[in-house]
Amino acid sequence: MKDNLTLVQRVEAHPDSRCWFVGWNPNGSLLASCGGDKTIRIWGQEGDTWVCKSVLEDGHQRTVRKLAWSPCGNYLASASFDATTSIWRKKNQEFESLTVLEGHENEVKCVAWAPSGNLLATCSRDKSVWIWEVDEEDDYECVTVLNSHTQDVKHVAWHPTQELLASASYDNNICIYKEVDDDWECQATLKGHTSTVWNLSFSATGERLASCSDDRAVKIWKEYPAESGQGDKSWKCVCTLSGYHDRTVYDIDWCRLTGALATASGDNAVRVFREDASSDPDQPSFSLAAHEPNAHGQDVNCVTWNPKEAGLLASCSDDGDIAIWKFLEQD
């Protein structure tokens, strides 16, 4: 019997344009969305209903593709097809534009904050990953440009506790970076997907990494000590979930409260997977726990778990809508 995925609310978030991304702030009280209409919208609860609290306009000239909340929740970064990343500062209930980061040659596809809040990563269609350092005066400086991919870089994700960065690309690969002697280096290249890797999500401990792809598969990678006992750790694919998605898997999010995996797909569906209780950590198995085949009217672009309320899930789509779901686990 499948676990329940119940629709809590559906919102016309970005009418007449795609909604590309939704992201919860660190305490789970606000939800930010962005889309093809060049705006960012901030959503909060009034009673049991999610309503728009703020609309951030004039920050970008083209589509806003991705957002990232700082770990403290006081800053919001937005990545745009106009080749810039904007930083917004929360001031009481409003947001003000703080600065604009420039340098990428074309579309910025993703932005992500390190767990310390002192580093920011951006990636672009220009095939590069940039790491920015933030000082106490809110000044941002690019400290390195990484060119480990041969194609458009779709996504960047930080390890939950370490300054370790992962990136996913149109070249079918995943790269893992870390700082060595004040210089950032690609420490590992994860090969296994046969088409574009769209998104990445670390587990709660950071020992595992989930990836999703245009090849319609989800892969679980596990970190292992270096075989020689020295040097860099290695990442190995320990599980592949295939046969579940009818089209591209655009997004994946690993719930750090429950361990459930949610996916967003071009087949208009949202799915939730749970790890089998008896599975071997070195050969884990996952089962489909919930499947909403018509979650949206068009491609589902993003899924994200609330960081504080177990089972609360948000999704967004090319149809411009945000959907809030409740995943109820069955005994």
Side-chain angles (χ1 to χ4, degrees), residues 6 21 53 68 91 130 160 164 170 177 189 270 297 299 307 328:
T6 303
F21 181 82
K53 298 286 191 177
K91 195 172 183 180
W130 291 39
L164 189 77
Y170 200 87
Y177 313 89
T189 301
V270 169
D299 295 7
L328 300 174

Side-chain angles (χ1 to χ4, degrees), residues 116-131:
S116 65
N118 296 326
L119 295 172
L120 191 75
T122 57
C123 66
S124 169
R125 185 182 172 187
D126 65 16
K127 309 175 188 177
S128 70
V129 173
W130 291 39
I131 297 179

Side-chain angles (χ1 to χ4, degrees), residues 61-104:
Q61 302 302 311
R62 294 183 61 194
T63 291
V64 185
R65 180 64 179 86
K66 199 73 69 81
L67 304 169
W69 292 92
S70 64
C72 66
N74 293 328
Y75 300 88
L76 184 67
S78 55
S80 171
F81 285 1
D82 65 11
T84 70
T85 301
S86 289
I87 309 297
W88 308 80
R89 179 165 51 197
K90 189 173 184 292
K91 195 172 183 180
N92 299 319
Q93 299 304 311
E94 299 299 322
F95 290 78
E96 60 182 11
S97 178
L98 184 64
T99 190
V100 177
L101 309 182
E102 299 178 317
H104 282 291

Side-chain angles (χ1 to χ4, degrees), residues 183-196:
D183 191 20
W184 284 85
E185 299 176 355
C186 178
Q187 298 291 306
T189 301
L190 283 50
K191 297 177 180 288
H193 284 292
T194 57
S195 192
T196 302

